[in-house]
Amino acid sequence: AGLSAIYDSLMEGNDDEISTRYALVAEGVKLASDKMSIEFKLNPKAQFHDGIKITADDVVFTFNTLLKDGHPSYKMAFRDVEKVQKISSHQVKFIFKNNRNRDLPVLISSLPVLPKHYYEKVDFSKTTLVPPLGSGAYKIKEVKPNRSIVYERVKNYWAKDLPVNRG
């Protein structure tokens, strides 16, 4: 429970504005005029808890990994994505199969970003009690199997001063 608190997403929403998203890992976004693709420019300050910067490679890795080994809901949510491609180290583009799914840009912007470098050494598809590496405002401090999980606020959280996290 609460595992999503350790990962930042490309953009973040709030409960007051259902289909609105604000910059987080992505500092910029551009929806194509024909609504057949969406591009994200990543914040160069975005980083994982180990200090390694978040790149387009991490976004591409996340998307492909969640489709392959993630919860089946990811396959349903992203069924209209043709492919994701790295444009540069800090730009990524999602190309759609069609432009009929009006919710797709919002769903993609909510994508959490996983650390490719971490999962090159740890099998994403295997269960473990070792806390995973994240990028969000919290990290796992302690796990007592079948009893509890304790989160702690990340000191020097990279996005603490972004407008989406203020207040």
Side-chain angles (χ1 to χ4, degrees), residues 31 35 76-81 96-108:
L31 181 62
K35 296 185 174 72
M76 278 300 291
F78 300 134
R79 68 186 176 276
D80 290 327
V81 176
F96 307 151
K97 293 176 183 175
N98 60 64
N99 60 4
R100 294 186 300 269
N101 185 342
R102 293 177 11 186
D103 297 326
L104 192 55
V106 172
L107 291 171
I108 290 172

Side-chain angles (χ1 to χ4, degrees), residues 4-149:
S4 62
I6 73 167
Y7 296 108
D8 278 335
S9 53
L10 290 169
M11 302 182 84
E12 187 64 46
N14 68 51
D15 293 337
D16 293 335
E17 302 168 291
I18 301 298
S19 293
T20 302
R21 294 292 178 265
Y22 295 96
L24 190 53
V25 170
E27 69 175 0
V29 61
K30 183 172 122 181
L31 181 62
S33 59
D34 63 2
K35 296 185 174 72
M36 288 294 291
S37 66
I38 190 168
E39 279 186 48
F40 296 94
K41 180 182 177 195
L42 304 183
N43 187 327
K45 295 179 183 176
Q47 65 181 15
F48 295 104
H49 294 156
D50 63 358
I52 293 180
K53 301 289 185 181
I54 296 174
T55 68
D57 289 325
D58 295 303
V59 177
V60 171
F61 167 80
T62 298
F63 181 80
N64 292 330
T65 298
L66 291 178
L67 283 185
K68 181 177 175 274
D69 295 323
H71 191 276
S73 63
Y74 287 108
K75 286 183 184 174
M76 278 300 291
F78 300 134
R79 68 186 176 276
D80 290 327
V81 176
E82 179 72 35
K83 65 180 175 177
V84 60
Q85 62 187 100
K86 173 183 172 179
I87 303 297
S88 70
S89 64
H90 282 82
Q91 280 188 280
V92 64
K93 183 176 187 176
F94 291 82
I95 299 170
F96 307 151
K97 293 176 183 175
N98 60 64
N99 60 4
R100 294 186 300 269
N101 185 342
R102 293 177 11 186
D103 297 326
L104 192 55
V106 172
L107 291 171
I108 290 172
S109 69
S110 300
L111 184 73
V113 182
L114 305 174
K116 180 182 178 186
H117 69 281
Y118 175 80
Y119 287 108
E120 287 175 336
K121 299 174 188 145
V122 175
D123 188 343
F124 179 83
S125 67
K126 302 277 190 220
T127 302
T128 179
L129 291 175
V130 176
L133 178 66
S135 59
Y138 295 90
K139 64 181 177 179
I140 297 173
K141 180 179 181 178
E142 178 184 3
V143 175
K144 292 181 184 173
N146 298 318
R147 296 191 69 213
S148 66
I149 183 167

